[in-house]
Amino acid sequence: MNEQLRNALPHKDTPFFRVLHIIVAFLILLQIINSNLTESSSLGDPTIVGIVTWIHVISGFALIVLGFVMLVWMLVTRGFRYYYSWLTLDFRGITEDIKTFFSLRLPEAHAGGIAALIQGLGVLALLGVALCGGLWFVLNANLGASSVLVRDVLHFHKFLTVFIETYFFAHGAMGLLHIFLTVRDQRKNPVTE
């Protein structure tokens, strides 16, 4: 990967978070792709569908762990108010970013801003769908697939996937736009040392 593109990727100042971000994105994409090939009744079968279902379950549990690692890292490095200032009814950063949009520019990431809001909500969406899927797996193993509670939790898990899929594709599109604009600006204004 050339230097210019590498510098355009987000989180260059925090390599741990950059790698974590890429791993989580890859696992979410894997979950989206293989979710249509899973079948809860195939968990005990040594078939392709059974193997894909186990991959979905294992990577789902990995996303629970990585989601908490990501949330803790975010809160430790930047604090609660950076990502969740709207929960304290502080909308100044969002208002500032909306004004920037109206001036036909993209706002920089900052505390309480739209980028921070989206990052914070994305991690909550990730944890919500992954925890619900993990709960389904535990309940299914203990109560069986015919339990009404197990079926309800599975339906809720599927409902929550709408949020993480929407987030994944929208966040990915915004990330690609950010990378494109950064590379374009770097080409317009090369830094010479």
Side-chain angles (χ1 to χ4, degrees):
M1 183 183 318
N2 75 34
E3 189 70 24
Q4 197 175 38
L5 181 58
R6 199 173 319 115
N7 287 333
L9 291 174
H11 313 297
K12 68 180 173 189
D13 54 332
T14 53
F16 167 77
F17 193 70
R18 179 184 271 187
V19 170
L20 179 62
H21 197 252
I22 291 168
I23 291 169
V24 167
F26 173 78
L27 287 175
I28 290 172
L29 182 60
L30 177 67
Q31 293 291 80
I32 291 170
I33 292 169
N34 73 19
S35 65
N36 292 324
L37 305 172
T38 62
E39 187 62 47
S40 58
S41 60
S42 298
L43 282 171
D45 299 339
T47 62
I48 293 295
V49 174
I51 292 168
V52 170
T53 302
W54 272 109
I55 290 170
H56 190 80
V57 169
I58 292 166
S59 57
F61 277 110
L63 280 169
I64 292 172
V65 172
L66 295 175
F68 276 114
V69 169
M70 185 177 272
L71 180 64
V72 168
W73 187 90
M74 288 166 43
L75 295 176
V76 167
T77 57
R78 295 208 169 134
F80 180 82
R81 290 185 64 89
Y82 187 92
Y83 299 100
Y84 304 106
S85 64
W86 54 275
L87 285 174
T88 63
L89 303 179
D90 179 2
F91 301 104
R92 291 175 294 186
I94 295 169
T95 305
E96 181 182 317
D97 286 354
I98 290 171
K99 289 177 185 174
T100 303
F101 280 128
F102 280 125
S103 68
L104 301 177
R105 294 177 302 144
L106 289 176
E108 293 293 323
H110 60 90
I114 291 175
L117 166 98
I118 290 170
Q119 180 78 25
L121 288 176
V123 171
L124 293 181
L126 165 64
L127 286 171
V129 73
L131 286 168
C132 190
L135 177 63
W136 168 82
F137 180 79
V138 170
L139 290 174
N140 186 60
N142 290 307
L143 301 177
S146 62
S147 165
V148 174
L149 177 62
V150 171
R151 285 196 308 262
D152 288 346
V153 170
L154 181 59
H155 288 300
F156 190 59
H157 171 68
K158 289 178 180 181
F159 168 73
L160 290 177
T161 61
V162 171
F163 297 103
I164 195 64
E165 286 179 6
T166 302
Y167 175 81
F168 178 81
F169 291 114
H171 184 66
M174 291 296 106
L176 291 174
L177 177 64
H178 168 81
I179 291 168
F180 170 76
L181 293 174
T182 303
V183 168
R184 187 190 69 180
D185 289 346
Q186 288 173 350
R187 286 186 179 153
K188 282 182 181 177
N189 306 315
V191 177
T192 56
E193 293 181 21

